[in-house]
Amino acid sequence: MSSSSKEEGAGVAPQNKGSWSSFLKSIASFNGDLSSLTAPPFILGTISLTEFSSYWAEHPSVFVAPASEPDPAKRALLVLKWFLSTLKQQYCSRSDKLGSEKKPLNPFLGELYLGKWEDEAGTTQLVSEQVSHHPPVTAYSIWNEKHGVRLQGYNAQKASFSRTIHVKQIGHALLHIDAYNEDYLITIPALHIEGLIYGNPFVELNNKTYIVSSSGYISKVDYSGKGWMSGKKNSFTAQLFQEGKEKDPLYTVEGQWNEAFTIREGGSKKHGEVDSYAAAKTKTTPLTVAPIEQQDPLEARRAWQKVIDAIIKGDMDTTNLEKSKIENSQREMRKKEAAEGREWERRFFSRVPNDPLFEKLARPIGERIEADKTGGIWRFDVNKAKQATTSVQEHAGLK
């Protein structure tokens, strides 16, 4: 990297440097929800956070692969491989496509994102719903009936600033495989934004995450960022072991989650490679969503259409006007609900008082639910899904 590229705002166009400098000053004391952060227009994204749920299953064949493996240890390995395969899409695909990370649109309460993937794995369906606005929480359910694989979860973000933006993700995911009546708890990584001061922001993952199976296997993923040995960004090491035997791993996975990784038996590099995955070369399966004119008014792309069009055109006056219309409409709805003593009814998800399955799987890793920070514990509600309008059911693949 040349010295000029290391200068503050080097990745920002000259006409935007003033607003970029103001943005950096404003976040220096920021601590709260990412959604409340006002970003310069030129780093506004054109997709809503509700769409991020689709990143869990853009490789449907990898998502359903564990259902065909009878050996529980190898099955746990395939779940780990699938999880690692999602990281590039979840945390890197936008900067790859747009040149840098963009601030997503802040979903309104009740916003939906519905669709399906169709490929050799059959039909894999997605329901994503904004179940809380303060704090912002997105819940999702993804399933493939043919293979009997079901994922659900929810997450919120809490951001703080210390030299850059640090994001703690609050929530978790649960994967169920029908054939083995097997469950997996998946924790969500923390992250921070690299390259912010230079105007070329990208995501780097922090610390560690776990995948805990009801069959007694645990995967631990350590994120090292620019590894002190490799010097490569997005580096990680993961190990899969039986509960209580962390020092005797069955498999080790190493590499870069945005590029490629290899899988070996045991914990030593002396063991041979048993599998590999090239994230950068593996094509995604496109999600099919209904045409905008057929979407429910609360579906993300229809609701945000005018805002998105204005962002693409670079028309920030119209962008702010159309965003304000949505935000003001939401405020009026909340006032009316409060006056009538009722709460917005979620279409697909419900709060539950507790979750014994989570508590059982979380025990070996000391994970706890922070329900006070996510507006509750959210679970997919099959009965609610059956009561949704016909068009919404069709878009969610429920009819």
Side-chain angles (χ1 to χ4, degrees):
M1 184 182 290
S2 67
S3 59
S4 61
S5 66
K6 291 184 179 180
E7 295 174 0
E8 181 175 324
V12 179
Q15 67 270 25
N16 295 325
K17 286 196 173 184
S19 58
W20 183 251
S21 295
S22 297
F23 173 62
L24 291 178
K25 292 176 183 177
S26 72
I27 64 176
S29 58
F30 182 79
N31 184 23
D33 297 327
L34 273 176
S35 59
S36 64
L37 188 63
T38 302
F42 64 89
I43 67 165
L44 288 177
T46 56
I47 66 172
S48 169
L49 269 174
T50 55
E51 297 194 32
F52 283 31
S53 303
S54 67
Y55 297 139
W56 283 105
E58 292 196 325
H59 302 106
S61 294
V62 185
F63 174 63
V64 304
S68 300
E69 175 52 64
D71 181 84
K74 291 179 180 178
R75 195 161 57 245
L77 178 63
L78 288 173
V79 171
L80 172 60
K81 179 182 177 181
W82 156 73
F83 170 74
L84 294 171
S85 78
T86 72
L87 297 179
K88 174 178 169 59
Q89 296 309 115
Q90 296 204 56
Y91 302 109
C92 195
S93 60
R94 297 172 300 280
S95 57
D96 283 352
K97 181 180 179 181
L98 304 171
S100 66
E101 189 66 35
K102 303 293 183 181
K103 183 179 184 294
L105 296 169
N106 178 30
F108 53 83
L109 180 60
E111 182 176 313
L112 301 171
Y113 187 59
L114 313 171
K116 61 185 178 180
W117 297 269
E118 293 184 302
D119 62 3
E120 63 273 13
T123 301
T124 305
Q125 293 150 279
L126 164 72
V127 169
S128 180
E129 180 176 7
Q130 193 71 6
V131 293
S132 175
H133 188 65
H134 295 296
V137 181
T138 306
Y140 50 86
S141 180
I142 300 171
W143 68 97
N144 183 297
E145 290 286 355
K146 177 181 176 181
H147 294 273
V149 179
R150 309 169 193 280
L151 176 77
Q152 66 167 310
Y154 63 93
N155 63 282
Q157 297 88 22
K158 179 69 179 295
S160 61
F161 186 85
S162 176
R163 294 196 298 175
T164 188
I165 297 175
H166 295 264
V167 182
K168 177 185 179 183
Q169 300 200 86
I170 306 166
H172 58 271
L174 291 167
L175 180 74
H176 181 80
I177 302 176
D178 289 354
Y180 307 103
N181 193 26
E182 187 175 61
D183 296 287
Y184 293 80
L185 168 65
I186 302 162
T187 65
I188 307 174
L191 60 91
H192 67 275
I193 308 298
E194 291 277 6
L196 188 64
I197 196 169
Y198 309 126
N200 287 310
F202 66 90
V203 170
E204 189 63 271
L205 303 182
N206 302 339
N207 303 326
K208 56 183 175 290
T209 53
Y210 290 93
I211 304 174
V212 184
S213 86
S214 57
S215 297
Y217 295 93
I218 299 175
S219 294
K220 177 183 177 183
V221 186
D222 285 295
Y223 306 98
S224 55
K226 287 192 175 182
W228 65 275
M229 290 183 67
S230 68
K232 297 177 180 178
K233 70 177 184 179
N234 306 147
S235 298
F236 76 92
T237 300
Q239 292 192 319
L240 188 153
F241 50 90
Q242 282 187 295
E243 184 179 340
K245 297 183 179 181
E246 184 172 353
K247 294 183 178 180
D248 187 22
L250 301 172
Y251 297 97
T252 298
V253 190
E254 290 182 310
Q256 293 171 273
W257 50 261
N258 68 317
E259 290 288 341
F261 54 82
T262 57
I263 303 172
R264 303 189 314 274
E265 284 189 324
S268 170
K269 290 189 176 181
K270 294 179 181 178
H271 291 87
E273 181 181 316
V274 296
D275 199 1
S276 63
Y277 185 81
K281 296 180 180 179
T282 304
K283 292 184 178 181
T284 60
T285 298
L287 181 74
T288 301
V289 298
I292 287 178
E293 64 274 10
Q294 295 178 21
Q295 290 184 12
D296 184 271
L298 298 185
E299 288 188 64
R301 293 187 181 176
R302 177 174 174 179
W304 291 103
Q305 183 180 14
K306 292 181 180 179
V307 174
I308 292 168
D309 289 345
I311 291 173
I312 292 172
K313 293 175 183 176
D315 183 350
M316 290 305 116
D317 288 338
T318 302
T319 296
N320 292 328
L321 175 64
E322 295 299 334
K323 279 183 64 181
S324 294
K325 287 181 181 178
I326 293 173
E327 291 162 356
N328 291 335
S329 173
Q330 286 291 306
R331 291 189 189 100
E332 289 304 312
M333 290 174 69
R334 300 293 86 78
K335 288 180 182 178
K336 183 178 180 182
E337 290 161 5
E340 296 174 356
R342 61 184 177 88
E343 184 181 61
W344 174 264
E345 185 66 30
R346 282 71 175 174
R347 297 255 196 123
F348 292 97
F349 296 86
S350 293
R351 287 190 187 92
V352 297
N354 54 61
D355 189 329
L357 175 61
F358 173 92
E359 293 169 3
K360 177 184 176 182
L361 295 177
R363 198 168 295 122
I365 58 172
E367 187 76 4
R368 294 183 179 180
I369 286 180
E370 297 181 272
D372 58 318
K373 297 178 181 177
T374 57
I377 303 170
W378 299 95
R379 293 291 180 256
F380 185 66
D381 191 323
V382 176
N383 291 326
K384 278 189 175 181
K386 291 178 180 177
Q387 295 169 11
T389 62
T390 300
S391 63
V392 167
Q393 286 193 13
E394 288 175 348
H395 300 169
L398 293 163
K399 288 185 79 71

